[in-house]
Amino acid sequence: MMQKSYLAHSVQAALAIALLSAMPMAAMAQDTSTDTQAEEKADERIQVTGSRIPQSTNVVSSSPVSQVTAEEFDFSGTVRTEDLVNDLPQVFPGQASTDTNGATGTATISLRGLGTYRTLALINGRRMVMGSPAQAGIAADLNQIPAALIKNVELLTGGASATYGSDAIAGVVNFIMEDEFEGVKFGYQNSFYQHNNNNNGEAAQANLEAGFPLPDSNVTDGHMNDYSLIMGANSADGRGNVTVYATYRDIQGITQNNRESSACALAGGPGDWSCSGSSTIPDGLWLVGSDALVNEGGELIPYDGRAYNYAPLNYFQRPDTRTTLGGFAKYYVNEHAEFFAEVGYMKDHSLAQIAQSGSFFLDVNFNCSNPLLTDSQYQTMCADRGYGAEDSFTATFAKRNVEGGPRYADLQHISHRMVAGVRGDITRDWTYDVSFNVGDVAYTEVYQNDMSNTAIVRALDIVADPETGEAVCRSALQGLDPSCVPWNVFQPNGITDEQLDYLTLPLYAKGETQLREFNAYTVGDLSMSDFKSPWAYMGPSVLFGYTHRSEAMRYEPDSAFRSGDGAGQGGPSVPVNGDLSVDEIYTEVQLPLVEDAAFANSMVVDLGYRYSDYSTGITTDTYKLALGWDVNDAFKIRASFQSAMRHANIRELFRPQGLNLFNMDEDPCAGTNPSATFEECARTGVTEEQYGQIFDNPAGQYNYMQGGNPNLRPETSETKSIGFVWRPHWDNDFDFSVDYFDIDVEDAVGIVDSEYALDQCLTTGAEAYCSLITRNANGSIWQGSEGYIAATNTNIGYLRRTGIDINSNYQIRLEDMGRVKFNLVGTYFINFDELPQPGSDLIECAGKWGGSCWSPKPEWQHNLRSTWITPWDMTMSANWRHLGGVDHVSGERSLASENYLDLTAQFMVYEGGRFSVGVNNVFDNDAPLLPGGISDNGNTFPSYYDALGRYFFAGFEYKF
């Protein structure tokens, strides 16, 4: 953190640029031929992601940039933009279509696995608004980007904070759109999943042994229909263009009962799979002291370990409909002014469905005078415990509301985006760009079929009406809640619609996010000036810019959400109301040092600096230094260094504290035979009386306390890269690049992983971890709201990612047989590390999964695509996607590598028409099976593996 004045930093920046410009450029004017060469080269400049300064078309960027072309979108057949981007080796999934419990309805990505909030998404080089005010939705929502309009996607994963802002620590994903179209283009695609269920496999056998039904052996589902219309026209004088578009997408949901691998929540491991589930069972479970009793046919018998299979109703793919409308316009007045504008609208509607709600181990008042009790129940619960008919006591009750429907969140996002600006030449050597960027997202959530904790407690506090002797709620008799209806969980088939109507609680939340950005910069090409290196024709290019950006977030849950009264919510949903603004000045210098020398065709230095002054009173500095050295026509060396400081975002700063859920295989201190010793468990708050008596959660879900922190310090990062590009002069159809990257984030804003904190407390007894654990009166960290592990935002130790990126392109010309193209993109991770606290053990995740590493982090991933472009109006393409194997952090369970084959064929038909067919995951590879408590969804990680089977698609596009 720095507290120097804005003026002081402005002066420092100006002096720094003046010094950098002057040092190597003291040479006087060169001869006329040199100036002519400089003028010719200056006219070749274009702009690439990673710098706002135009760069020569014959120079590869000094920072590695990966590209995904529109052709790749066509070959993959994806209708969701995030699906294709997530397949890239540098990218890890954020929110995805396979998320259901805790889904925001958005689509986000995480470069290098550093978090969605450290990855900056751009449209045509400009920021996108925060995707959603809901938790985990703060990153840009890729649903706002219509895939049919994408011309190119550029991924700069070497750090881009100096150019675009400090939240680009992991890098930038820039979606370059088709913004100058002429004609009309209509497109339609239908796609679906097909899977052959192995109903003789281990997962199927586990379902049969548990008495659960199996899915059909051959399923076809998840149908998707995608429509797009693009129209564009040039103005009569040829100076302007207007392009408009409309798209509609309809995706059907897939529930987990349609796959044998997800039809139940698995437990165990290979060779010993079984179906687990939730102890919130349909029959009803009573906990009284150390006794656990289940209701069976009106009798209370000792609990036999039965569990409810919550998996079948959970979505494996959420249903979704999306509409986008928008357009691009530009008009060239003269060389001094070209006006441009972009507008976009999106409405996305998605459903996130999970199993039914219920009473999730609530403490209730048990009345022995309850008229609904059978004689057997009275004897077991009251008489055998020494209670009389007029006595009452506290008991814990759990029951799944199978009489009601599944819970589902009805999620809707409506976004608006508008960009307007003007650009042009100031003089021959100076240009300018001034723009306004406005974005808004309106969010609504209607949560259906949950139950009210308050209503459950009242509906189970049942007494006899003194006048009629009938069962009534005590609260109704006292006039506290006249509408209360007793919940008859005691007698077979005793539950009625009237009872459910009283118990059911709809919840509602709304919110919005806003972006307001003014950006202005000027670029000067000093090639025709006297200020240039004596060893170069080209002079420096310099950029000076200013940005004002303000962002706002409002999340407004209703009273039911805020109070935590929703039984199936895991805790209260707290409101968030925050604003954050920043003023930034930034500059870039591109400095040619050497051209056409014996040791270098060219050598160019790129420099950048950004000063940011936030409304919180915090200021940050970011700078970069990069070198591009073209040794000759065939070989280039490049290196870069960036230092950045990221200010915490609105949610990290202002989110109030509240409970949420995390997955863990087991509480080591729970069960009749805990895996941890009493001495270890005592460190976490377990008493001697509780040890061996704590009821564990078969569903593997536990409470953690989340929340923001207004005192967060900016995190600091250093990004280093070095690599080479080989383009042999004897073959212009081949290039090969290798780049090493090293990203270190100090004082990273994050949380101490809850499972890690529990493990560290057990093994070390360190107060820094043990103080985070709070157990309730029963010793539980999942029953009710009194037990939890604190995981509020803080500045943790550090994050580190190191590795190697490989990119290669090769083309073979087959004369009268056309040509074949090959493209390889691969990433090898050397380090994928996190230090939760200074002095703690380092968490090393490269090549690992599980525990604090959570999802798979393979050391090596690659995509290899080969495409045959025939001379017969036909193109065929094959893509090999490789995901490296990973070992569990405990060393107990390894996941083998996965190899997927995708095939596509395209046919040119009529004049301007194209027909495409394809199948991804041709061999219907099964995703690895994992226990439900330590996987993401459906007993696996479906946003990482192809968990739904083969993906077939067929589409038609016509342009006229």
Side-chain angles (χ1 to χ4, degrees), residues 56-340:
S56 175
T57 54
N58 67 339
V59 175
V60 177
S61 170
S62 54
S63 294
V65 177
S66 297
Q67 291 189 334
V68 181
T69 63
E71 181 183 67
E72 187 70 21
F73 276 86
D74 293 336
F75 286 146
S76 68
T78 57
V79 299
R80 292 179 291 240
T81 302
E82 73 274 16
D83 286 350
L84 178 61
V85 179
N86 280 337
D87 281 340
L88 296 174
Q90 308 97 320
V91 178
F92 289 78
Q95 282 280 320
S97 61
T98 52
D99 292 327
T100 183
N101 196 356
T104 65
T106 61
T108 61
I109 56 175
S110 169
L111 288 175
R112 307 291 191 202
L114 283 168
T116 59
Y117 42 88
R118 298 187 183 94
T119 300
L120 185 60
L122 309 172
I123 297 178
N124 288 339
R126 295 178 178 84
R127 281 176 175 265
M128 298 175 64
V129 66
M130 293 178 287
S132 175
Q135 180 179 321
I138 197 167
D141 182 8
L142 302 192
N143 282 314
Q144 298 176 18
I145 303 172
L149 269 291
I150 295 175
K151 182 166 60 176
N152 196 19
V153 183
E154 295 182 342
L155 287 83
L156 178 66
T157 57
S161 295
T163 302
Y164 296 107
S166 63
D167 42 359
I169 281 178
V172 164
V173 182
N174 186 17
F175 294 88
I176 301 172
M177 312 302 287
E178 180 65 70
D179 59 359
E180 193 169 357
F181 184 79
E182 188 174 10
V184 177
K185 182 166 68 173
F186 172 78
Y188 168 74
Q189 178 179 292
N190 175 261
S191 51
F192 58 88
Y193 288 100
Q194 183 275 328
H195 178 64
N196 294 320
N197 284 304
N198 181 10
N199 286 340
N200 294 315
E202 288 187 274
Q205 188 62 35
N207 278 271
L208 291 174
E209 292 175 356
F212 299 147
L214 292 177
D216 294 338
S217 59
N218 187 317
V219 292
T220 300
D221 50 20
H223 289 267
M224 310 178 200
N225 290 292
D226 189 53
Y227 304 84
S228 65
L229 176 65
I230 306 172
M231 297 185 293
N234 294 328
S235 62
D237 57 8
R239 294 187 173 192
N241 176 271
V242 174
T243 299
V244 297
Y245 65 87
T247 73
Y248 178 75
R249 183 184 73 190
D250 182 15
I251 299 175
Q252 296 180 10
I254 300 174
T255 49
Q256 293 181 15
N257 61 320
N258 289 290
R259 300 292 184 274
E260 94 285 355
S261 59
S262 59
C264 77
L266 291 174
D272 187 32
W273 288 113
S274 63
C275 285
S276 180
S278 169
S279 53
T280 304
I281 55 179
D283 307 298
L285 177 63
W286 292 93
L287 302 181
V288 186
S290 60
D291 294 333
L293 304 168
V294 63
N295 187 8
E296 187 168 283
E299 295 185 11
L300 294 173
I301 63 174
Y303 178 54
D304 53 9
R306 69 186 69 178
Y308 172 68
N309 182 18
Y310 56 81
L313 293 174
N314 288 9
Y315 275 134
F316 223 159
Q317 172 178 274
R318 294 194 320 274
D320 178 270
T321 59
R322 187 200 67 177
T323 301
T324 64
L325 302 169
F328 306 89
K330 59 183 68 176
Y331 188 79
Y332 178 84
V333 179
N334 54 43
E335 68 271 20
H336 301 300
E338 181 186 37
F339 292 93
F340 60 91

Side-chain angles (χ1 to χ4, degrees), residues 338-646:
E338 181 186 37
F339 292 93
F340 60 91
E342 303 176 11
V343 293
Y345 165 86
M346 179 211 70
K347 180 179 181 180
D348 185 84
H349 179 215
S350 184
L351 297 179
Q353 178 176 289
I354 58 176
Q356 302 94 333
S357 186
S359 174
F360 294 96
F361 291 88
L362 287 178
D363 289 338
V364 301
N365 191 44
F366 191 98
N367 293 301
C368 293
S369 62
N370 179 355
L372 298 178
L373 291 177
T374 65
D375 292 341
S376 173
Q377 291 168 349
Y378 173 81
Q379 184 68 33
T380 302
M381 292 291 282
C382 298
D384 290 351
R385 300 175 189 281
Y387 293 112
E390 301 303 318
D391 293 328
S392 63
F393 56 90
T394 299
T396 301
F397 181 65
K399 183 193 182 316
R400 183 71 59 167
N401 181 32
V402 292
E403 296 81 7
R407 289 168 285 170
Y408 65 90
D410 189 325
L411 305 166
Q412 180 173 278
H413 293 84
I414 298 177
S415 70
H416 300 86
R417 177 177 182 268
M418 183 182 72
V419 174
V422 60
R423 59 196 169 208
D425 296 339
I426 301 173
T427 66
R428 174 182 172 84
D429 299 324
W430 286 88
T431 64
Y432 72 96
D433 188 303
V434 178
S435 64
F436 293 90
N437 181 10
V438 176
D440 297 278
V441 173
Y443 164 83
T444 58
E445 175 183 3
V446 180
Y447 201 97
Q448 300 282 16
N449 288 342
D450 205 353
M451 300 178 75
S452 164
N453 284 327
T454 301
I456 291 171
V457 171
R458 291 175 178 174
L460 290 175
D461 188 5
I462 304 170
V463 296
D465 188 312
E467 295 182 1
T468 65
E470 295 182 354
V472 295
C473 301
R474 186 192 303 272
S475 60
L477 199 62
Q478 295 173 341
L480 176 65
D481 185 1
S483 62
C484 180
V485 180
W487 192 16
N488 188 359
V489 299
F490 306 95
Q491 301 171 355
N493 303 315
I495 297 176
T496 65
D497 289 341
E498 183 185 14
Q499 297 170 28
L500 294 179
D501 289 342
Y502 170 70
L503 295 167
T504 300
L505 177 71
L507 302 100
Y508 176 79
K510 65 179 181 178
E512 63 178 339
T513 65
Q514 292 182 351
L515 168 68
R516 303 289 185 267
E517 183 180 43
F518 170 76
N519 188 46
Y521 64 89
T522 181
V523 179
D525 180 359
L526 306 183
S527 295
M528 302 306 296
S529 71
D530 295 335
F531 298 99
K532 63 181 69 174
S533 166
W535 307 287
Y537 306 123
M538 302 284 289
S541 292
V542 296
L543 177 148
F544 300 96
Y546 166 78
T547 292
H548 173 80
R549 183 173 68 255
S550 62
E551 296 178 290
M553 173 186 289
R554 309 282 185 272
Y555 175 65
E556 301 175 7
D558 67 2
S559 58
F561 263 131
R562 291 198 303 270
S563 66
D565 196 35
Q569 297 303 305
S573 294
V574 293
V576 179
N577 189 340
D579 301 86
L580 187 65
S581 62
V582 61
D583 289 284
E584 298 179 302
I585 57 171
Y586 56 94
T587 185
E588 295 183 51
V589 177
Q590 186 181 92
L591 179 62
L593 296 178
V594 178
E595 291 180 281
D596 295 341
F599 62 91
N601 277 9
S602 70
M603 185 180 293
V604 179
V605 172
D606 292 319
L607 306 167
Y609 172 79
R610 178 177 289 260
Y611 167 79
S612 305
D613 185 1
Y614 288 88
S615 56
T616 56
I618 293 174
T619 62
T620 62
D621 292 275
T622 298
Y623 59 89
K624 72 172 182 179
L625 169 66
L627 172 69
W629 176 14
D630 282 272
V631 179
N632 50 45
D633 291 338
F635 195 74
K636 178 186 183 73
I637 298 173
R638 58 189 177 192
S640 66
F641 173 82
Q642 175 183 268
S643 175
M645 301 176 71
R646 186 183 76 88

